[in-house]
Amino acid sequence: MHMPGIATRPDRGRSLLGPALSLIHAGRAPTRSALTAALGVTRATAGAVAAELQALGLIGVDTAPGGAAGALGRPSHRLMIDPDGPVALAAQIHPDGFQVALVGLGGQIAAQLSAELGGAPGAPERALAPVAEAGARLLRSSGRACVAAGLAVPSAVAEPEGTAVSPLYVDWPTGTPIRDIFARQVARAGITGPGGAALRCWAANDINAAALAEHRHGAGRDAGHLLVIATGHRGVGGALVVGGALYTGSTGLGMEAGHVSVDPAGRPCRCGSRGCLDVETDALSFMDAAGRVPSPGTAVLAQAIAILRGEYAADPAVRAAAASLTERLGLGLAGLINVLNPDRILLGGLHRYLLEADPARLGAAVAKRSPWGRGAAVPLLPCALDDGGLIGAAELAWQPVLEDPAILVSSTAPAGSRARS
Ligand SMILES: [Zn+2]
């Protein structure tokens, strides 16, 4: 028995839009029947919700997928992200430059560009101006509306202020109000949000952003307690996604996993301690252990990955360096497993390729150091997304729309508002 009109009742109908869009966004409701089952509503209600999302310009509904119906009857209506729908502007800053992308629902990158500066990106205002200008160019050429913007930075970001607390590798002052600076540069570049309003901007740590993206669109799907450890262009970061939400601590500064010490007599770290994962298992420490000197002009991370992947079989010094970093990484992971009890661990950046090079060694290093050997039972997997930081920055920007797609009503009301000039 269906209940006609239920989705158009303002309370119930609006409250189903967010859950429905979140399911479609995460690839969990590719058809109307899947949406019906996932929402636990009637087919008519699911159809009405899908029609509202379509009217908002967010999804397309194919009512005759696969053409003529076969002997098995009519296939369910197919639900897909509208390829001309709005996008989030995503940006990621790293010590060698920046990346900018337009990211649609479903974590789909519609357009992307990167600039390698070959050096520190400079003062935050000066570093973010070209980022915003590049975003404005991408938006103009795409003709798509922008819902909000997200910025991923190689620093812990304190909330609710949106300040970068530890931008060690981009040489910005501690406490830089990164979210507000980004918002100013976005406004200066002429980018506006739904209905011509000021574009809402978000900022987050780059590994946190990548972890959120992996949970929704990558190798972290369905993990209840997902731990992600990854190298950035410099240093190492960590993130924890619990029940689908980032664990960020009380003020945004939780999960500084890169500053877990794995060698009390190790290298001095910029945080003031010694032997942190950040300086003992990053790209530069790998180059050092392998006896290689980074060439200027190319990101050290890219060089380290190329050497690890390309010369592991032929060069014993590369194998020894990988083994040494793997042991230290295993020690750090064991400590984190002990504290966090994750059900899955994803490794990104250089760590992804340390795992690829010798998974048995890393597994053994974790098992040896984790309590009662329980760490051996936690799956260690590579990150699946090449642009997780960007996609995750876009997730932050999309989040208010995922929670209530009707906030876009004002932007879709006037005719032609989706076309930008
Ligand atoms: Zn440290």
Side-chain angles (χ1 to χ4, degrees):
M1 172 182 294
H2 72 275
M3 300 164 70
I6 189 168
T8 57
R9 269 174 27 203
D11 49 349
R12 180 88 197 278
R14 184 162 180 169
S15 73
L16 286 173
L17 290 179
L21 186 62
S22 296
L23 287 163
I24 296 165
H25 172 62
R28 293 171 186 276
T31 62
R32 188 177 65 179
S33 61
L35 182 65
T36 302
L39 289 177
V41 298
T42 65
R43 199 173 70 162
T45 298
V49 168
E52 286 196 41
L53 293 174
Q54 187 176 22
L56 287 167
L58 295 169
I59 70 165
V61 180
D62 183 354
T63 55
L72 295 174
R74 261 191 321 158
S76 180
H77 294 179
R78 202 159 64 85
L79 310 178
M80 65 224 106
I81 307 300
D82 186 337
D84 299 317
V87 290
L89 172 62
Q92 182 165 5
I93 294 281
H94 53 74
D96 302 299
F98 66 82
Q99 290 175 282
V100 183
L102 306 183
V103 186
L105 284 167
Q108 295 168 355
I109 294 182
Q112 182 175 9
L113 63 80
S114 60
E116 297 286 336
L117 303 179
E125 295 272 2
R126 215 169 57 238
L128 288 173
V131 172
E133 285 155 15
R137 282 197 304 277
L138 288 181
L139 280 164
R140 274 196 302 273
S141 58
S142 79
R144 292 168 76 173
C146 186
V147 292
L151 173 68
V153 292
S155 166
V157 176
E159 293 295 346
E161 318 83 285
T163 52
V165 174
S166 54
L168 308 174
Y169 292 111
V170 284
D171 289 325
W172 294 345
T174 290
T176 296
I178 193 68
R179 185 185 57 215
D180 292 348
I181 292 173
F182 184 46
R184 274 203 298 279
Q185 294 300 337
V186 159
R188 190 171 294 169
I191 305 171
T192 55
L199 195 74
R200 286 186 78 180
C201 292
W202 308 84
N205 169 263
D206 50 6
I207 308 298
N208 273 2
L212 192 57
E214 289 288 344
H215 190 270
R216 291 185 180 173
H217 306 294
R221 290 163 66 101
D222 301 316
H225 292 75
L226 176 69
L227 173 63
V228 177
I229 299 293
T231 62
H233 275 230
R234 307 267 200 293
V236 172
L240 183 68
V241 183
V242 182
L246 274 173
Y247 170 81
T248 55
S250 57
T251 60
L253 306 181
M255 286 305 298
E256 278 295 289
H259 299 288
V260 167
S261 180
V262 291
D263 181 359
R267 296 175 168 85
C269 179
R270 292 200 191 195
C271 76
S273 182
R274 275 185 175 272
C276 298
L277 279 178
D278 197 80
V279 286
E280 298 291 346
T281 66
D282 72 337
L284 206 52
S285 62
F286 173 77
M287 298 290 278
D288 188 36
R292 303 297 182 95
V293 178
S295 338
T298 312
V300 177
L301 177 61
Q303 295 182 53
I305 289 173
I307 290 168
L308 176 55
R309 300 194 79 193
E311 301 179 42
Y312 185 83
D315 187 340
V318 170
R319 284 200 296 282
S324 160
L325 261 72
T326 297
E327 292 292 334
R328 290 180 221 155
L329 177 60
L331 178 55
L333 290 177
L336 290 163
I337 288 169
N338 194 12
V339 172
L340 302 169
N341 191 19
D343 58 356
R344 193 180 309 170
I345 298 174
L346 301 184
L347 300 175
L350 183 70
H351 294 170
R352 169 179 173 172
Y353 299 105
L354 287 174
L355 172 67
E356 180 185 88
D358 195 345
R361 179 183 288 271
L362 184 57
V366 169
K368 189 170 61 190
R369 304 283 194 155
S370 63
W372 308 288
R374 282 182 321 169
V378 185
L380 287 166
L381 300 169
C383 283
L385 304 173
D386 287 331
D387 296 302
L390 277 177
I391 295 170
E395 290 296 322
L396 303 174
W398 272 113
Q399 194 57 39
V401 177
L402 292 171
E403 287 169 10
D404 185 5
I407 62 171
L408 292 177
V409 160
S410 61
S411 68
T412 53
S417 67
R418 272 168 53 191
R420 299 178 58 91
S421 53

